[in-house]
Amino acid sequence: MSVTWSLAALDDPEYERLDRLVEVVEQGLTSCIGPSGTLFALDWQHTSYRFAPQDIGGPGQLAWP
């Protein structure tokens, strides 16, 4: 599955709306794959890669890509 959307509505100098969107998307993606699943990050301008959300974003872990 692939999803693309415009971020134009998130024009917020404090990035509060963008931060909230990122939080919701991360939670949604993580809930779709279960506790041991992986996600693929695809970007036509960069090398694609696979990552496990449960292994990132916590204390002492790498940030979400």
Side-chain angles (χ1 to χ4, degrees), residues 29-30 33-39 51-58 61-62 64:
L29 290 172
T30 300
I33 61 162
S36 61
T38 58
L39 295 172
F51 68 98
Q54 65 276 8
D55 295 337
I56 59 174
Q61 296 178 326
L62 296 173
W64 264 74

Side-chain angles (χ1 to χ4, degrees), residues 36-61:
S36 61
T38 58
L39 295 172
F40 292 93
L42 306 174
D43 182 340
W44 68 276
Q45 295 177 329
H46 300 92
T47 302
S48 300
Y49 53 91
R50 179 189 301 196
F51 68 98
Q54 65 276 8
D55 295 337
I56 59 174
Q61 296 178 326

Side-chain angles (χ1 to χ4, degrees), residues 11-17 19:
D11 187 18
D12 177 2
E14 300 297 321
Y15 298 108
E16 291 177 17
R17 293 177 189 161
D19 291 344

Side-chain angles (χ1 to χ4, degrees), residues 5-12 17-18 21:
W5 57 88
S6 171
L7 302 180
L10 303 176
D11 187 18
D12 177 2
R17 293 177 189 161
L18 178 59
L21 173 66

